[in-house]
Amino acid sequence: MAVPSVMVLPMFVVVMAGIYYVYNEVIRFMSKSVVRNKVVVITDAVSGMGSECARLLHKGGARLVLCGPSWDKLESLYDSLCSGSDPTQTFTPKLVLLDFSDTAGMQDSAADVVECYGCVDIMICNSSMKIKAPVQNLSLEMDRNIMDMNYFGPITLVKGVLPSMISRRTGHFLLVNSIQGRLSVPFRTSYAASKHAVQAFFDCLRAEVEEYGISVSTISHTYINASQNGTEPSSSSSSSSPSPPSSSSIPSKISNSLLAYLYRQLNHGVTPQDLANEIVRTVDWKRREVLLAHPIPQLALCLRCLLPSAFFSVVAAGVKDGPMAEQLMK
């Protein structure tokens, strides 16, 4: 019996809603089965992604160690997690004051993290500092600050936790990194360099610790669109400019150019909730590398690898175009 055409759209909506419901239930079950009783450390837990991840893993029964540069914000997150949660099914989170920009105190912070439960099963490295400016306008001091925050801070924490994982012959490091660790965009020299550096460190680390049963994963994502689910951006993920503008703000004279289209796709972003769900999947499947981006940035990566000259030409043309350069600076 044929289905009337007028019923096709409602049936499609119902089917998609059912698939979405099943998907959410699977994610919820995975978060409970994968991390239950596991010691999970989340750096910059007060950020949009960090707090979403903390809520998901807290409900799943993880023993959380929440780290961040602001004690007041950590306590606020602590209160929101504990209020309304079932104490028979969840563990009370532990808080550690940790600031990646304070490289001198990172070793002490790493010791505090390990002392919370005596071990670490999963470490989620999340924090970063962003800046957008022409290279000639950036001082060497700013370059060093970016590297301290995005590279030296995270690797110092990893090195502080690693001996405990090696002695137990188990553990999982997960780096939440920007896609600019693999695809550089103009006016982000210091930021992209720091993201490339930390990506390379974790890639090398993966090979070195595999024999000890330790997993290393990296998730490269595009812009985190915190406004899509009402979360505030991280205090430690600072930037010298406002959030990227919508595609409608790009001048019409360049709206059809390849770089303008790529720019719009890069700024569609992902929500903190989507990123938190991807973290749970990555931990469960122990995936080594994840690219969380729309098809256009993925295509740009392929173009960068297969036709680098064409990619460089497109990027350079965007910098020479005055209006496009202004958008890249925002």
Side-chain angles (χ1 to χ4, degrees):
M1 183 177 178
V3 179
S5 58
V6 71
M7 295 295 296
V8 173
L9 182 59
M11 290 179 63
F12 177 77
V13 172
V14 170
V15 170
M16 293 306 297
I19 293 175
Y20 183 73
Y21 173 78
V22 171
Y23 168 79
N24 284 334
E25 290 300 310
V26 169
I27 290 295
R28 185 182 306 174
F29 174 77
M30 286 170 53
S31 66
K32 292 181 178 180
S33 60
V34 173
V35 301
R36 180 167 296 280
N37 297 322
K38 298 286 187 180
V39 177
V40 182
V41 178
I42 304 176
T43 65
D44 198 16
V46 297
S47 66
M49 191 290 297
S51 59
E52 284 292 332
C53 193
R55 291 186 181 93
L56 190 61
L57 299 179
H58 180 67
K59 292 179 181 178
R63 293 183 288 175
L64 292 178
V65 180
L66 305 177
C67 306
S70 169
W71 190 258
D72 290 338
K73 292 184 178 180
L74 284 173
E75 289 185 327
S76 177
L77 177 59
Y78 174 93
D79 292 338
S80 67
L81 292 177
C82 293
S83 61
S85 62
D86 185 354
T88 63
Q89 299 293 325
T90 59
F91 294 91
T92 302
K94 295 184 181 293
L95 309 180
V96 174
L97 197 62
L98 185 151
D99 185 355
F100 277 144
S101 64
D102 181 19
T103 54
M106 281 305 303
Q107 290 185 343
D108 292 337
S109 297
D112 293 340
V113 166
V114 176
E115 288 176 3
C116 285
Y117 287 102
C119 66
V120 173
D121 294 307
I122 302 167
M123 170 166 286
I124 301 172
C125 293
N126 166 50
S127 181
S128 69
M129 179 180 180
K130 306 176 182 68
I131 188 168
K132 306 172 188 177
V135 62
Q136 66 269 22
N137 293 349
L138 288 174
S139 65
L140 285 176
E141 181 181 2
M142 178 58 69
D143 291 336
R144 293 189 182 97
N145 290 340
I146 294 291
M147 290 299 294
D148 284 345
M149 185 73 179
N150 295 352
Y151 177 69
F152 288 110
I155 72 166
T156 303
L157 181 61
V158 167
K159 290 184 175 184
V161 173
L162 184 58
S164 172
M165 288 190 178
I166 291 177
S167 65
R168 298 174 62 234
R169 303 190 72 84
T170 185
H172 194 161
F173 290 108
L174 193 151
L175 171 68
V176 181
N177 201 24
S178 168
I179 194 175
Q180 292 189 52
R182 301 173 62 185
L183 180 69
S184 301
V185 178
F187 305 114
R188 292 158 178 82
T189 49
S190 299
Y191 179 69
S194 67
K195 290 302 182 178
H196 272 74
V198 75
Q199 178 77 33
F201 176 88
F202 274 75
D203 286 345
C204 295
L205 178 67
R206 181 186 298 112
E208 293 184 25
V209 301
E210 185 175 357
E211 63 176 306
Y212 302 110
I214 300 172
S215 301
V216 177
S217 303
T218 60
I219 298 178
S220 301
H221 61 81
T222 53
Y223 165 69
I224 298 181
N225 194 347
S227 63
Q228 290 185 22
N229 66 340
T231 58
E232 294 294 329
S234 165
S235 59
S236 63
S237 297
S238 59
S239 175
S240 62
S241 60
S243 299
S246 64
S247 59
S248 61
S249 66
I250 297 179
S252 57
K253 64 180 286 188
I254 60 169
S255 61
N256 293 326
S257 72
L258 177 59
L259 186 58
Y261 183 62
L262 172 61
Y263 177 75
R264 289 196 299 267
Q265 293 297 318
L266 283 170
N267 287 325
H268 278 174
V270 297
T271 65
Q273 185 177 17
D274 289 338
L275 188 50
N277 288 336
E278 185 58 52
I279 287 173
V280 172
R281 287 193 296 269
T282 302
V283 170
D284 182 31
W285 299 336
K286 297 190 184 304
R287 299 173 65 180
R288 296 181 175 183
E289 191 171 59
V290 175
L291 178 60
L292 192 60
H294 295 284
I296 296 301
Q298 296 185 35
L299 180 61
L301 279 173
C302 294
L303 183 66
R304 169 67 176 83
C305 295
L306 301 177
L307 298 171
S309 296
F311 175 81
F312 296 148
S313 297
V314 170
V315 173
V319 174
K320 294 176 184 177
D321 189 323
M324 186 71 249
E326 291 179 5
Q327 294 302 319
L328 287 170
M329 283 285 294
K330 291 182 178 180

